[in-house]
């Protein structure tokens, strides 16, 4: 991706990398100082990750927990703030440990600068993690 890549294009590319199970390439979309936030994270789950290295560590076990198959709904909204988009989406697949269906809806606010993700606020549903089999995001 280039510095001229739009936020929406970069985001769509990131989704494709997740479907390809290429977590290292997804992490490479991040700025060194990028911040990933989970405002609705339940107790014991990370609420804020600062820097590409923290994002990489957080995502390192992703494939051990989720077998992502598709994003059947992705709607990207442009904002008046340059480089910032709001995304409504749904991801589906399987939970690796149990083989149970994984189906999560998200709203994300994503900021891109110079072709890299600098901010990502992920408003996912914390009620979905009440099932112990869904403890896929690491409770460091």
């Amino acid at each position: 991706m280039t510095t001229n890549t739009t936020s929406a294009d970069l985001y769509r590319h990131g989704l494709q990398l997740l479907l390809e199970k290429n977590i290292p390439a997804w992490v490479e979309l991040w700025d060194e100082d990028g911040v990933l936030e989970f405002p609705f994270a339940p107790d014991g789950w990370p609420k804020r990750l600062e820097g590409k290295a923290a994002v990489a560590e957080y995502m390192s076990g992703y494939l051990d927990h989720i077998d992502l198959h598709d994003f059947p709904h992705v709607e990207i909204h442009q904002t008046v703030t340059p480089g910032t988009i709001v995304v409504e989406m749904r991801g589906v697949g399987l939970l690796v440990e149990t083989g149970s269906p994984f189906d999560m809806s998200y709203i994300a606010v994503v900021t891109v600068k110079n072709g890299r993700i600098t901010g990502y606020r992920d408003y996912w549903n914390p009620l979905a993690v009440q099932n112990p089999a869904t403890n896929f995001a690491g409770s460091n």
Side-chain angles (χ1 to χ4, degrees), residues 26-140:
W26 184 84
V27 170
E28 282 305 310
L29 300 178
W30 283 78
D31 182 82
E32 289 300 324
D33 298 319
V35 175
L36 176 55
E37 298 176 276
F38 304 99
F40 297 149
D43 290 341
W45 288 60
K47 293 192 183 291
R48 182 179 173 94
L49 303 169
E50 296 186 20
K52 182 193 262 186
V55 171
E57 182 180 340
Y58 175 80
M59 292 295 289
S60 66
Y62 187 84
L63 298 178
D64 296 333
H65 302 287
I66 296 179
D67 180 10
L68 197 57
H69 295 171
D70 193 14
F71 293 102
H73 173 79
V74 178
E75 191 171 344
I76 299 176
H77 306 277
Q78 299 296 325
T79 70
V80 295
T81 305
T84 300
I85 56 175
V86 175
V87 181
E88 296 177 78
M89 64 178 219
R90 182 172 154 239
V92 297
L94 295 174
L95 296 173
V96 172
E97 184 178 323
T98 64
S100 301
F102 172 79
D103 191 333
M104 179 78 76
S105 293
Y106 305 84
I107 293 177
V109 179
V110 181
T111 303
V112 172
K113 186 173 181 185
N114 297 324
R116 298 279 182 230
I117 299 169
T118 57
Y120 193 123
R121 262 178 279 129
D122 190 347
Y123 294 93
W124 58 280
N125 180 2
L127 298 177
V129 299
Q130 288 182 343
N131 175 348
T134 60
N135 189 8
F136 55 81
S139 50
N140 301 352

